[in-house]
Amino acid sequence: MCDSRVVRTLMLGGGSFAGPAIIDAALDRGDDVTVLNRGLTSEVPQGVRHVIADRTQTGWPDALGDEDFDLVVDTWSGAPSVVHDSASQLSERAMRYAYVSSISVYADPLAVGFDESSPTVEASPTADATTYPADKRGAELAVEAAFGGDRCLLARAGLIVGPRENSGRLLWWLRRVAHGGDVLAPGPPDQDLQLIDVRDLARFVLTTSASEACNTVSRHDHATTRRLLDACRSATGSAARLVWATPEELEAHDVSGWTDLPLWLPGSDPIHAILTADTTKAISGGLACRPVEATVAETWAWLTTVPDHALPNGVGLDEAREAEVLKAIGHESR
């Protein structure tokens, strides 16, 4: 895959967020791209060979004909048994298998600065769907069993953000800041945030020579809460005022990280360590992350083209609750 010939890339699924980003990146570098999915979520770009098949059903590889591939990319998040079947069926037809996994596969308690050697949750490569961490870890085991460590990549992504985001986390902050007024901001302002732009994830998955597990997320000093929220103000042109509250103040008023105030976790939270991954291996393997300001601005540019009814919901404080907390805390912006 290091010569000048066209790379034959097979995308399994690819209907939402990371999938389209990977497809776009593969097309941009001139790959011969095949996408296999059920055709239920979105259309594939022009220039892609689209194969309609359901890989939860027997016989699905027949839809690919006799074509072989240089790279298979898989983002499956359900039953590991599906990835087990896919990897087993393709092990003689593909040179390499890249699986987009998650740092959620690590077992608790997670140590600050954890690396790829840290313990993972118990999982089976042939299991039905159970929990997200076990499903992702089981899929990793399935890929390793079929392709061996030297022919696979297990990209353990962290918080994925960027255009087409389907979690709603960065989107909530952009919409909230764009609305203006006093914005409840979780302190400390200079707390590090580990994120990964979906397009940087896509490029890494397609181009790295790294093998086996890689913590695929930005380095520790890539972004802070202040930089993220300032970028939201700049991108949206908002005059919103950030009202910083300490973690203790937020806890006293039952404001939680992750859901109430997305992308943030207080340092006292047992799962805060999930935002402290050691990324040495991925960076050595070529991972490059664009500035958080670019991610925010480009996500806002995309967001302004999408109707509200088509956007994910379910995260972030509602307006009335935020106003109550701001009043209770009674802070000036600082």
Side-chain angles (χ1 to χ4, degrees):
M1 292 177 63
C2 296
D3 55 30
S4 59
R5 67 183 178 82
V6 173
V7 176
R8 297 161 299 175
T9 297
L10 171 62
M11 179 79 223
L12 297 176
S16 63
F17 200 23
I22 293 166
I23 295 167
D24 288 347
L27 289 172
D28 286 347
R29 73 167 183 167
D31 289 11
D32 179 355
V33 181
T34 298
V35 173
L36 184 146
N37 60 33
R38 292 175 295 173
L40 300 179
T41 51
S42 61
E43 295 183 0
V44 300
Q46 186 175 4
V48 169
R49 176 192 175 207
H50 191 190
V51 176
I52 304 295
D54 184 349
R55 60 185 177 127
T56 67
Q57 304 298 315
T58 58
W60 64 267
D62 295 340
L64 292 170
D66 59 0
E67 186 174 359
D68 292 334
F69 301 94
D70 297 298
L71 175 65
V72 178
V73 184
D74 192 353
T75 60
W76 182 263
S77 296
S81 59
V82 175
V83 177
H84 180 270
D85 179 65
S86 300
S88 299
Q89 297 273 11
L90 296 168
S91 61
E92 300 298 323
R93 301 180 57 175
M95 294 174 59
R96 182 172 166 86
Y97 201 113
Y99 178 65
V100 179
S101 187
S102 169
I103 56 175
S104 295
V105 301
Y106 292 108
D108 294 328
L110 193 57
V112 172
F114 64 94
D115 64 16
E116 291 83 0
S117 67
S118 298
T120 54
V121 298
E122 293 293 325
S124 167
T126 57
D128 292 331
T130 54
T131 65
Y132 182 76
D135 290 347
K136 282 294 191 181
R137 179 55 182 153
E140 289 185 350
L141 294 171
V143 173
E144 285 183 312
F147 278 78
D150 61 335
R151 293 174 57 210
C152 74
L153 170 70
L154 310 175
R156 291 175 176 167
L159 283 170
I160 308 175
V161 294
R164 301 192 186 102
E165 181 185 318
N166 58 6
S167 70
R169 296 187 179 104
L170 177 54
L171 307 188
W172 183 83
W173 278 115
L174 280 164
R175 295 159 82 184
R176 173 62 193 91
V177 170
H179 183 67
D182 287 351
V183 175
L184 182 64
D190 295 323
Q191 178 170 295
D192 287 341
L193 291 178
Q194 275 192 308
L195 310 168
I196 183 72
D197 187 300
V198 68
R199 296 161 298 176
D200 299 331
L201 170 64
R203 184 172 60 249
F204 177 76
V205 166
L206 292 171
T207 63
T208 187
S209 59
S211 59
E212 299 183 300
C214 276
N215 292 333
T216 311
V217 67
S218 67
R219 66 174 79 235
H220 296 163
D221 59 356
H222 178 71
T224 63
T225 308
R226 185 195 301 276
R227 278 186 64 184
L228 178 80
L229 298 187
D230 282 347
C232 288
R233 289 199 297 181
S234 177
T236 62
S238 173
R241 184 176 68 159
L242 302 179
V243 181
W244 294 98
T246 67
E248 294 76 18
E249 289 169 327
L250 294 172
E251 181 180 7
H253 294 284
D254 296 320
V255 177
S256 65
W258 219 251
T259 52
D260 287 341
L261 296 177
L263 302 178
W264 169 80
L265 282 170
S268 60
D269 193 307
I271 67 170
H272 178 264
I274 206 168
L275 298 177
T276 68
D278 184 314
T279 59
T280 302
K281 184 176 179 182
I283 292 170
S284 297
L287 176 64
C289 295
R290 70 195 69 202
V292 68
E293 291 81 3
T295 294
V296 170
E298 291 154 10
T299 303
W300 174 248
W302 165 80
L303 182 58
T304 59
T305 69
V306 182
D308 283 349
H309 68 80
L311 294 171
N313 290 297
V315 298
L317 287 174
D318 64 36
E319 185 177 347
R321 176 73 176 128
E322 183 188 23
E324 289 177 4
V325 176
L326 284 168
K327 182 178 180 180
I329 290 175
H331 271 198
E332 294 294 329
S333 179
R334 58 179 185 265

